[in-house]
Amino acid sequence: MTLEEKKQEIIEEFALYDEWLDKYQYLIELGHNLDPFPEEEKTEENTIKGCQSRVWLISEKKDGKLLFRADSDAIITKGIISLLVSVYSGRTPEEIAADDFGFIGAIGLRENLSPTRANGLVSMIERMKEIAGQSRQ
Amino acid sequence: MKLTQIRAQFPVLDSQVYGKPLVYLDNAATAQRPLSVEASWKQSVEQGNANIHRAVHYLAGVATDAYENAREAVRAYLNASAKEEIVFTAGATAGINLVAYAFGEAFVGEGDEIIVSVAEHHSNLVPWQLLCRRKKAVLKVLDIAPDGSLPVESLEKLISERTKIIAISHISNVLGLVNPVREMVEVCHKHNVPVLVDGAQGIVHCAVDVQALDCDFYAFSGHKIYAATGTGVLYGKKKWLEAMPPFLSGGEMIHTVRFSGTTFAPLPQKFEAGTQNINAVPTLVPALAFARECRENPEVEAEQEAILDYVYKQLTEDERITLYGVPRGTKVPLFSFAVKGVHHEDLALILDKMGIAVRSGQMCAEPLMDRLGVTGLLRASFAPYNTLEEAQYFIQCLNKAINMLV
Ligand SMILES: Cc1ncc(COP(=O)(O)O)c(C=O)c1O
């Protein structure tokens, strides 16, 4: 699936839920199903500090593509992380750097990302872009 | 006033968020403003706006009177012995900074000691840390008991000949317990140590009489007690305020200015430099009148007591929940708690979508969070316009949210 197709798939999935709580329920499920994150990688360096929830992110480059793994101590944030990982992991740095991450808004989660909420997600997206930018050079 | 009439003073309480009735339980962060406060603001802006104390024209007189009436209203509310002891500030933080700076300049030197509790809000902690850094003084920390209360006995053990001041909250914004401030003042005064009380939460839940408390300073913010934002009060005993140098300097706080030297205005103007918050300060009058009305209203009092009883019981009897600040005797309706295996941010996000505004996180008290061994807590704080029905809805939604998350 291309990046665009994957994003479209998630947007359509979320369109099924018009109740906020159903949306959260789904994110909680995604959070629980996210691949386990190695405990030893929960270092200061890999921590993206938000005001409330903590987020961890690691990446590696394989065959020209960036692979991400991430975790959070809060489950809804973890669900959103799981979406980000499923969309962006396995893409080229160019693709990631060029993307505007606007699909988060399209599924109605923009308010979870607004900087005033001060959670780790905004910083996580910035970190993903930064990693993409660096590995492009 | 009936409770319904009190609620009618706050149109936002009738509004909906995400299609659900709004239940506002973040009152410890900031309270809502009643219509009477809005009316005072409007009056000041539309009919009474001029700079105070300076001009001889009519409108300046109106504005100055409104401002000085507010000072008298605050003096009476706190039962301070003189208006000179009431300094208007931008809030509790500003008042505490004023004391940490000016008292520090006058009385704190290298090797001296300052005592705070581990439960202080950053606003009653960082100014003292900075003072200690400036003066090479030492910050000593009073620990809480396991139930969240402050043990007066340990305070006495911390006091030494070098102790210059102690700064303690009347009610912690996390623990929601009325601290034994009167007893602490007594102990401190026995050793000639003055006491600053951070009254940001205390002023909201207690009838404060500064002469009976005998504290040396009492600081609070207007916005937590229904007045306009940007207002605040520092009460200080005259003997201290007189002995302290100015904090901010500029217009209005001077007596004469010459390049050969400047002399300062008498109290309280000495500490009110620059154009003051002239439109907002008069809102303290209806705000404090409202607070008093609520405190003395039997229906409101009964409802608050019922809320306290109910929420306390629900939170302490639920095995999944740990409430911090437990002694029932000194508890106010401000509850911070953790839920086993559940992150406070998740709970707050879900409750938000159910229409409930609660606070989650460290609540500007990181050292306390470390002390309690948590990364943050969920806090529900009630005001006199909240109802038992809202409390019940909150508990019901909390249970639902927990079930979604575990
Ligand atoms: C106990 C306590 N102290 C100080 C403050 C600071 O008040 P402000 O931000 O209004 O200056 C607060 C407000 O959150 C508080 O709860």
Side-chain angles (χ1 to χ4, degrees):
Chain A
M1 234 186 279
T2 65
L3 179 58
E4 282 313 312
E5 283 166 350
K6 182 69 193 169
K7 286 198 286 191
Q8 202 48 46
E9 182 189 82
I10 291 174
I11 291 169
E12 278 162 25
E13 241 160 29
F14 269 83
L16 296 175
Y17 306 113
D18 42 358
E19 277 285 324
W20 263 109
L21 293 184
D22 296 335
K23 233 180 251 185
Y24 278 166
Q25 192 74 63
Y26 181 56
L27 285 171
I28 291 167
E29 225 169 276
L30 289 177
H32 284 308
N33 293 334
L34 184 64
D35 288 340
F37 187 89
E39 279 303 312
E40 67 275 11
E41 295 283 5
K42 288 188 179 174
T43 59
E44 191 66 34
E45 201 182 320
N46 295 334
T47 304
I48 302 174
K49 219 173 164 251
C51 188
Q52 303 204 357
S53 52
R54 278 177 301 171
V55 170
W56 296 275
L57 177 71
I58 49 175
S59 65
E60 59 177 315
K61 202 170 171 186
K62 217 171 171 184
D63 305 330
K65 300 205 167 119
L66 280 174
L67 301 178
F68 291 106
R69 279 206 283 177
D71 199 359
S72 172
D73 55 351
I75 194 73
I76 294 174
T77 296
K78 199 167 160 180
I80 303 177
I81 284 174
S82 153
L83 290 176
L84 289 172
V85 169
S86 74
V87 172
Y88 295 103
S89 194
R91 309 286 169 196
T92 64
E94 290 72 21
E95 277 180 295
I96 297 167
D99 198 82
D100 66 356
F101 288 74
F103 89 99
I104 291 285
I107 57 178
L109 294 177
R110 188 176 300 287
E111 51 208 276
N112 287 59
L113 286 175
S114 97
T116 59
R117 294 276 162 132
N119 57 23
L121 282 169
V122 182
S123 329
M124 168 159 170
I125 291 180
E126 273 161 18
R127 180 77 70 91
M128 284 171 106
K129 288 198 143 178
E130 192 184 296
I131 291 169
Q134 281 164 0
S135 56
R136 208 164 32 160
Q137 292 147 19
Chain B
M1 259 198 279
K2 306 281 290 173
L3 185 51
T4 47
Q5 289 169 301
I6 284 177
R7 281 181 72 82
Q9 284 267 321
F10 300 87
V12 75
L13 300 178
D14 252 342
S15 65
Q16 296 211 331
V17 294
Y18 316 106
K20 307 265 173 21
L22 171 70
V23 177
Y24 186 74
L25 302 183
D26 195 15
N27 294 287
T30 195
Q32 299 298 331
R33 331 251 165 268
L35 293 177
S36 56
V37 162
E38 185 191 338
S40 157
W41 170 269
K42 202 159 178 274
Q43 162 71 22
S44 166
V45 170
E46 288 182 359
Q47 307 289 338
N49 184 49
N51 215 331
I52 53 170
H53 297 310
R54 300 177 191 195
V56 294
H57 58 73
Y58 179 83
L59 212 49
V62 171
T64 303
D65 284 351
Y67 188 84
E68 290 304 324
N69 282 343
R71 200 188 307 275
E72 171 53 25
V74 171
R75 185 210 62 75
Y77 196 81
L78 297 178
N79 191 32
S81 52
K83 275 173 75 171
E84 290 71 40
E85 298 183 320
I86 305 298
V87 177
F88 286 124
T89 67
T93 305
I96 296 165
N97 272 277
L98 189 164
V99 179
Y101 178 83
F103 181 92
E105 281 306 297
F107 298 107
V108 179
E110 188 169 344
D112 283 341
E113 295 168 1
I114 291 161
I115 299 175
V116 296
S117 95
V118 71
E120 297 312 309
H121 188 282
H122 295 163
S123 290
N124 194 30
L125 179 56
V126 183
W128 304 110
Q129 272 183 328
L130 290 182
L131 168 62
C132 287
R133 198 196 288 174
R134 264 195 323 272
K135 298 289 182 183
K136 299 198 173 68
V138 182
L139 194 67
K140 287 182 141 186
V141 182
L142 175 63
D143 197 11
I144 49 172
D147 64 3
S149 61
L150 274 180
V152 182
E153 321 78 69
S154 349
L155 173 62
E156 186 147 27
K157 287 193 207 112
L158 272 187
I159 296 175
S160 80
E161 270 145 41
R162 302 303 303 264
T163 309
K164 289 299 181 221
I165 189 167
I166 89 153
I168 215 101
S169 57
H170 196 174
I171 297 177
S172 137
N173 62 310
V174 176
L175 299 168
L177 303 173
V178 182
N179 287 325
V181 170
R182 176 73 201 92
E183 291 78 357
M184 292 188 154
V185 168
E186 212 164 289
V187 166
C188 290
H189 284 181
K190 208 167 74 190
H191 298 272
N192 291 318
V193 177
V195 178
L196 174 137
V197 180
D198 171 0
Q201 302 295 338
I203 194 76
V204 183
H205 297 281
C206 302
V208 175
D209 178 330
V210 288
Q211 293 189 66
L213 275 183
D214 202 24
C215 58
D216 299 273
F217 302 97
Y218 194 97
F220 68 90
S221 301
H223 70 95
K224 291 189 203 277
I225 188 157
Y226 325 111
T229 49
T231 59
V233 171
L234 172 70
Y235 158 81
K237 278 187 184 164
K238 210 192 262 178
K239 65 167 179 182
W240 293 118
L241 293 180
E242 273 172 350
M244 283 155 51
F247 175 38
L248 302 176
S249 55
E252 207 53 54
M253 50 72 73
I254 45 82
H255 180 52
T256 58
V257 179
R258 296 285 180 279
F259 283 111
S260 55
T262 292
T263 55
F264 302 111
L267 292 173
Q269 272 78 32
K270 175 171 130 187
F271 291 109
E272 294 180 359
T275 293
Q276 295 297 295
N277 202 347
I278 39 186
N279 300 128
V281 163
T283 67
L284 281 161
V285 178
L288 294 178
F290 177 78
R292 186 188 296 269
E293 153 79 25
C294 290
R295 257 211 338 271
E296 292 171 356
N297 183 316
E299 190 192 349
V300 172
E301 204 193 341
E303 191 85 358
Q304 289 288 297
E305 203 52 39
I307 291 171
L308 182 51
D309 266 342
Y310 171 75
V311 179
Y312 185 87
K313 188 161 183 294
Q314 295 294 319
L315 295 179
T316 47
E317 286 181 359
D318 191 324
E319 279 174 3
R320 304 166 298 182
I321 293 173
T322 309
L323 177 71
Y324 293 93
V326 264
R328 178 64 182 81
T330 52
K331 191 79 181 158
V332 299
L334 183 166
F335 305 92
S336 300
F337 56 94
V339 179
K340 203 185 285 168
V342 174
H343 199 280
H344 45 86
E345 184 190 61
D346 290 320
L347 285 170
L349 278 171
I350 295 174
L351 288 170
D352 172 51
K353 296 302 186 296
M354 295 169 163
I356 300 174
V358 287
R359 180 73 188 275
S360 60
Q362 302 180 321
M363 291 173 281
C364 299
E366 279 192 51
L368 178 59
M369 297 297 140
D370 289 345
R371 167 68 179 78
L372 300 174
V374 297
T375 61
L377 296 172
L378 196 73
R379 180 184 71 192
S381 52
F382 292 79
Y385 41 72
N386 288 125
T387 62
L388 179 60
E389 200 184 326
E390 287 179 315
Q392 288 163 340
Y393 178 68
F394 161 64
I395 292 292
Q396 188 193 328
C397 290
L398 177 66
N399 275 315
K400 228 178 178 173
I402 295 173
N403 288 335
M404 275 174 76
L405 290 162
V406 290

